Amino acid sequence: MKLKIAVLAGDGIGPEVIRETLKVSNAIAEKFNHEISWNHALTGAAAIDKYGDPYPPNTHKTCINSDAVLFGAIGLPKFDNDPSAKIRPEEGLLRMRKKLGLYANVRPTFTFPSLIDNSPLKRDRIKGTDLVFLRELTGGIYFGEKGRKENGNVAFDTCIYSRNEITRLAKMGFEIAMKRSNKLCCVDKANVMESSRLWRETVQSLEKNYPKVNVSYELVDAVAMRLIQWPNSYDVLITENLFGDILTDEASVISGSMGLMPSASIGDGIALYEPIHGSFPQATNKNIANPIATILSAAMMFEMSFSLKEESDLIRKAVNISLEKGIVTEDISSIRKPFKTSEVGDFLVNQILISN
Ligand code: IPM
Ligand code: MN
């Protein structure tokens, strides 16, 4: 099969984790006789430096001319620490999500048996956790009207949702729930926010179309607590953009490290695959970042964009072997001399090539 993939490595550790992911994906291509063309393009701070734009038109063109997009990470402290910065790298990611119509972010949270003791949470609480967040990605407070007034002394951000935006996301949630255990949780703040009341109303009106699915409605503050107290009580969770951003970082603690969890951003057209972690600037160019989240994002890509299930399963199998053998980076290593980012990649490549 011929695969045309746009690669946006981005900032911080992005290029390093992407480098390992391309190595692993190329090993998959070799093993299964696929031909991958990688189309690199700039985004984030690197694109600001070169074009003064974190998502320049030629990057958008590269994305829409590809079959899928693989994304590293975005963001640099020099922008975070400058509240008056006119352009920010993150804007690139947000604009890209909007322009590519990536309204649903699928973020699985699961545990690896060999890493169960890496989590600060108690083993009996998290054992067997396997849940999926469906985070709305192109609406809410991220995209609502924002600004300053009264000479800059008052600032505001607006959380705005339309019934259509909620419906398309919720439908996807119901579909995913039906492929799993028919359990869906709608996370909102309907006791306070009007937009949350529209979420609840919209999801309630869809229930009749999915009679097998059991829907619960829970407030985000309570979910934040129960998620780490009894993660096994959840299966599929749907929620708006900002709640989903926060809850998925929290949920990554269950797996043992932020460096492990992949994601897929999907819509009606092309899909984008990215780790849920950020650019981890302190680790840049040290060859210490965990590449697994990005590598597992590529596994999601093979499966979801190309229906190459065997290929994605082989990546997951190799990752499991590396975790079992302790061929891992320092964030999850228990030994004094942990493995480097590139060593983890080399190990996975070898595992893939020697598998039968
Ligand atoms: C994420 C990130 C982004 C977000 C940032 C970098 C804009 O935290 O993908 O979760 O908030 O969506
Ligand atoms: Mn986030």
Side-chain angles (χ1 to χ4, degrees), residues 47-176:
I48 295 180
D49 287 346
K50 182 138 186 217
Y51 301 105
D53 179 350
Y55 187 58
N58 54 0
T59 297
H60 182 61
K61 215 160 128 201
T62 304
C63 290
I64 55 176
N65 287 328
S66 303
D67 306 315
V69 183
L70 191 61
F71 185 86
I74 218 162
L76 280 188
K78 77 168 179 189
F79 294 94
D80 295 340
N81 299 334
D82 175 10
S84 65
K86 288 272 170 297
I87 332 170
R88 297 176 178 279
E90 287 80 359
E91 244 175 73
L93 181 58
L94 301 186
R95 210 148 16 98
M96 176 167 65
R97 287 171 178 168
K98 195 78 172 176
K99 285 185 83 166
L100 296 176
L102 307 169
Y103 61 82
N105 187 213
V106 185
R107 294 191 165 183
T109 298
F110 48 90
T111 49
F112 300 91
S114 50
L115 288 185
I116 205 97
D117 292 317
N118 276 71
S119 172
L121 303 171
K122 289 202 175 77
R123 148 190 282 272
D124 66 308
R125 297 295 177 103
I126 59 172
K127 217 172 122 211
T129 298
D130 176 12
L131 47 91
V132 181
F133 278 94
L134 196 59
R135 166 189 174 194
E136 202 291 326
L137 207 55
T138 51
I141 204 163
Y142 276 67
F143 293 93
E145 199 194 337
K146 58 180 83 223
R148 296 279 181 114
K149 48 191 186 182
E150 295 179 26
N151 292 327
N153 294 315
V154 175
F156 61 94
D157 298 274
T158 318
C159 182
I160 181 162
Y161 270 109
S162 70
R163 199 180 292 275
N164 280 347
E165 286 173 316
I166 302 166
T167 302
R168 63 184 182 182
L169 193 276
K171 277 187 175 165
M172 211 180 262
F174 277 105
E175 303 288 339
I176 298 176

Side-chain angles (χ1 to χ4, degrees), residues 194-258:
E194 195 55 41
S195 54
S196 281
R197 288 193 272 273
L198 182 61
W199 267 78
R200 215 172 255 221
E201 191 184 303
T202 306
V203 177
Q204 276 169 349
S205 73
L206 290 170
E207 274 191 53
K208 59 177 182 310
N209 304 339
Y210 305 90
K212 285 210 176 95
V213 180
N214 211 313
V215 190
S216 67
Y217 297 86
E218 297 182 33
L219 300 175
V220 63
D221 46 353
V223 174
M225 180 187 69
R226 220 175 99 190
L227 185 60
I228 49 171
Q229 201 176 19
W230 301 110
N232 275 305
S233 59
Y234 293 111
D235 191 18
V236 181
L237 301 99
I238 51 173
T239 192
E240 65 92 49
N241 206 341
L242 182 62
F243 296 162
D245 179 45
I246 298 168
L247 291 177
T248 51
D249 268 27
E250 186 195 359
S252 75
V253 175
I254 297 167
S255 70
S257 169
M258 271 272 271

